[in-house]
Amino acid sequence: MGDFILRISTNGGALAFIATTANTVGRAAKIHGGTPVVSAALGRLLTAAAIMGASLKNDGDLLTLNIKGDGPIGGIVATSDRFSRVKGYPINRDADLPLKPNGKLDISGALGNGHLHVIKDLGLKEPYIGTAPLVSGEIAEDLVNYFAVSEQTPSAIGLGVLVDRDYTIKSAGGFFIQLLPNADDQTISALERVLGGFDSVTSFYDGGKTPYDMADHFFAGIGYRITDVLPVSYHCNCGRQRAEKALVSLGAEELEKIIAEDKKATLHCHFCRSDYDFDEGDLNSLLREIKK
Ligand code: ZN
């Protein structure tokens, strides 16, 4: 089963997204080769970015979730375009902590205290930037707090990543439920009841269930319809041409300095860990481009 998001509209005024992202998070885990707690934290943020990205309107729009914390991971960045093509990276992929007493990965300990930044680049002069403090460091709760504080939207969010013994990803996904201003009391209490009895995203999916099952589990009682099925993937849009552009943007003077001092340059992409190498000949031809 590939990764996808269900967009759902319920009776009584709620909107929901339910995602399965095991392949995408598995790809991220493989690229970054992080510890289980790092893969889980990165996977949760990538899943959230995929879901929030699905609400972007235009092709060039970009959503970035940036967590900065004082824990051993240091921070995580995840971005998504409107097609839920995501990419991300941890600051320190080797961060490790003992499991919590309940046997779960200590994501909040690994992130520590800090802030969540939500950046929406909608092609306007200035990007939209919203910031909220981390309230739990488990990411889902931090996003609920962000939506309440910055966007005045009541929501329920669950995110989960199950890392196997060999560090591969067994299951991953999440749900966002948002109440519309016209949500009725009956719907709200029905949702509170079903969410109150819900264990976790990972235990739900680990039993072989799908987003369709989760939609039924949450919303069968109030009535719902699936309005979209959206693909999710890990996608890095870097390339040699973009690396050349970055070097050209340094300007002639800086490029001449690099040629004189190092005779070569390597540009590293944090998102897919690709390296782009430029030797003296490459750099000189870029310099000629600039001076043309
Ligand atoms: Zn890349």
Side-chain angles (χ1 to χ4, degrees):
M1 188 175 62
D3 291 347
F4 63 93
I5 301 169
L6 297 180
R7 198 198 316 254
I8 292 160
S9 170
T10 81
N11 293 340
L15 259 185
F17 295 85
I18 300 178
T20 178
T21 56
N23 298 322
T24 303
V25 175
R27 176 97 196 279
K30 209 170 165 191
I31 288 170
H32 294 288
T35 60
V37 72
V38 169
S39 290
L42 176 61
R44 285 187 187 185
L45 201 65
L46 285 169
T47 300
I51 290 173
M52 291 171 71
S55 297
L56 294 170
K57 296 282 184 289
N58 302 306
D59 279 6
D61 293 355
L62 191 71
L63 173 103
T64 302
L65 300 177
N66 187 351
I67 289 179
K68 289 178 186 162
D70 62 6
I73 295 183
I76 314 176
V77 177
T79 78
S80 176
D81 66 11
R82 66 178 288 235
F83 304 107
S84 300
R85 292 186 297 198
V86 297
K87 56 183 179 176
Y89 64 88
I91 301 293
N92 176 17
R93 65 190 172 131
D94 299 321
D96 210 0
L97 281 177
L99 295 176
K100 293 194 287 193
N102 64 6
K104 302 216 162 148
L105 295 167
D106 190 0
I107 292 176
S108 58
L111 285 172
N113 293 309
H115 287 85
L116 163 72
H117 307 275
V118 177
I119 302 133
K120 291 180 200 166
D121 189 344
L122 309 177
L124 306 169
K125 223 171 178 185
E126 297 285 333
Y128 161 88
I129 302 176
T131 296
L134 297 180
V135 289
S136 84
E138 295 287 335
I139 302 177
E141 294 83 347
D142 305 308
L143 282 161
V144 168
N145 177 58
Y146 162 79
F147 279 111
V149 172
S150 287
E151 304 197 2
Q152 287 78 46
T153 306
S155 62
I157 296 173
L159 297 165
V161 173
L162 192 61
V163 185
D164 216 338
R165 283 167 197 275
D166 62 0
Y167 287 20
T168 58
I169 303 303
K170 235 177 149 187
S171 70
F175 65 84
F176 275 46
I177 303 172
Q178 300 200 316
L179 293 174
L180 299 174
N182 65 347
D184 61 47
D185 291 343
Q186 234 178 324
T187 302
I188 294 168
S189 43
L191 284 173
E192 278 172 352
R193 231 178 3 256
V194 73
L195 287 166
F198 187 73
D199 181 14
S200 72
V201 171
T202 43
S203 62
F204 193 89
Y205 284 155
D206 198 34
K209 290 186 174 135
T210 70
Y212 293 96
D213 297 316
M214 197 184 291
D216 249 359
H217 179 79
F218 285 154
F219 309 121
I222 50 178
Y224 71 99
R225 63 192 183 92
I226 293 165
T227 55
D228 260 317
V229 183
L230 310 158
V232 179
S233 61
Y234 196 95
H235 174 75
C236 190
N237 54 349
C238 72
R240 185 143 184 109
Q241 248 183 329
R242 285 176 82 107
E244 283 174 0
K245 263 194 188 162
L247 284 170
V248 165
S249 73
L250 293 175
E253 205 176 315
E254 188 64 30
L255 214 51
E256 275 167 348
K257 211 172 115 192
I258 293 171
I259 293 167
E261 286 174 5
D262 302 322
K263 298 185 175 56
K264 61 182 169 52
T266 299
L267 265 64
H268 177 73
C269 175
H270 291 294
F271 292 101
C272 67
R273 299 178 61 80
S274 295
D275 284 323
Y276 298 95
D277 293 316
F278 296 85
D279 62 19
E280 197 174 358
D282 298 330
L283 295 174
N284 275 317
S285 71
L286 289 176
L287 190 60
R288 281 194 296 275
E289 284 289 306
I290 297 175
K291 289 185 166 171
K292 241 198 314 210

